[in-house]
């Protein structure tokens, strides 16, 4: 029969860990939003980064709970390595997706360019000069001067040389 006295230490530790998780999620979300507001980053990109970090925190708490409730460390390592192996084999064909997500995170925090900037991608086979319309987790939407829309993967943005072109103002006469 289940007895609260028998598992009181585990229950107390679990409650404390869940409270710490909730507090950390709130603090981390506020810190990322503060960084995003000072850097003038887009809200949907901020939310995406917060979701990634929350997922990582949840996985770490889940592993901690497994340890707290007495699962042997050896069994945890065997389970995690088996799951990692299966995911690794299954995701081998999908490495570019993971690469684009990671690149999206790097672009979020380093943020070398913004929506509205005109960039030049230095590629010897297919050079591109276009304006950034949107930046998402997987790709960047570009629009050339000719109106052509290009979807460019984030991981290639980190691999290619990129120039941010100066803003060109058209000189116009103003009439009163």
């Amino acid at each position: 029969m289940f007895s609260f006295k028998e598992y009181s230490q585990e229950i107390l530790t679990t409650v404390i860990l869940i409270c710490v998780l909730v507090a950390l999620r709130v603090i981390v979300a506020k810190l990322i939003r503060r960084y995003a507001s000072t850097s003038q980053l887009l809200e949907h990109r901020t939310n995406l980064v917060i979701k990634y970090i929350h997922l990582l925190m949840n996985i770490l708490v889940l592993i901690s709970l497994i340890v707290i409730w007495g699962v042997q460390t050896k069994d945890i390592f065997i389970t995690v390595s088996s799951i990692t192996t299966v995911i690794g084999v299954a995701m081998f064909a999908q490495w570019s997706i993971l690469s684009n997500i990671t690149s999206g995170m790097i672009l979020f925090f380093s943020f070398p360019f913004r929506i509205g900037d005109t960039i030049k991608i230095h590629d010897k086979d297919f050079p591109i000069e276009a304006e950034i319309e949107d930046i998402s987790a997987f790709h960047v939407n570009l629009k050339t001067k000719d109106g052509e829309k290009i979807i460019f993967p984030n991981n290639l943005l980190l691999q290619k040389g990129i120039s941010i072109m100066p803003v060109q103002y058209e000189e116009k006469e103003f009439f009163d």
Side-chain angles (χ1 to χ4, degrees), residues 1 10 16 37 48 78 84 88 90 96 113 120 127 138 140 143 171:
M1 183 77 188
E10 288 87 354
I16 290 171
S37 67
L48 190 63
I78 290 171
T84 305
S96 63
F113 42 78
K120 183 176 185 179
F138 298 101
V140 173
K143 186 175 181 181
E171 294 205 19

Side-chain angles (χ1 to χ4, degrees), residues 7-71:
Y7 294 105
S8 62
Q9 185 176 1
E10 288 87 354
I11 293 171
L12 179 63
T13 309
T14 300
V15 170
I16 290 171
L17 186 62
I18 291 173
C19 290
V20 168
L21 173 67
V22 170
L24 279 176
R25 285 177 61 126
V26 170
I27 291 168
V28 166
K30 284 184 179 184
L31 288 173
I32 292 172
R33 288 187 197 288
R34 184 178 302 149
Y35 172 77
S37 67
T38 59
S39 302
Q40 299 172 347
L41 300 177
L42 295 177
E43 183 68 24
H44 71 278
R45 291 185 67 203
T46 304
N47 290 336
L48 190 63
V49 169
I50 289 171
K51 284 180 188 178
Y52 289 154
I53 292 174
H54 283 178
L55 178 66
L56 177 65
M57 290 169 62
N58 289 339
I59 290 170
L60 292 175
V61 166
L62 179 65
I63 292 170
S64 299
L65 286 174
I66 290 170
V67 171
I68 288 170
W69 283 92
V71 177

Side-chain angles (χ1 to χ4, degrees), residues 48-49 52-53 100-110 137:
L48 190 63
V49 169
Y52 289 154
I53 292 174
N100 282 320
I101 290 172
T102 305
S103 300
M105 294 283 286
I106 292 169
L107 289 174
F108 176 80
F109 285 109
S110 68

Side-chain angles (χ1 to χ4, degrees), residues 69-110:
W69 283 92
V71 177
Q72 297 297 320
T73 309
K74 178 182 76 169
D75 296 336
I76 293 172
F77 288 129
I78 290 171
T79 304
V80 169
S81 65
S82 299
I83 291 171
T84 305
T85 302
V86 170
I87 291 173
V89 170
M91 295 298 284
F92 181 72
Q94 301 299 329
W95 71 269
S96 63
I97 291 174
L98 295 174
S99 175
N100 282 320
I101 290 172
T102 305
S103 300
M105 294 283 286
I106 292 169
L107 289 174
F108 176 80
F109 285 109
S110 68

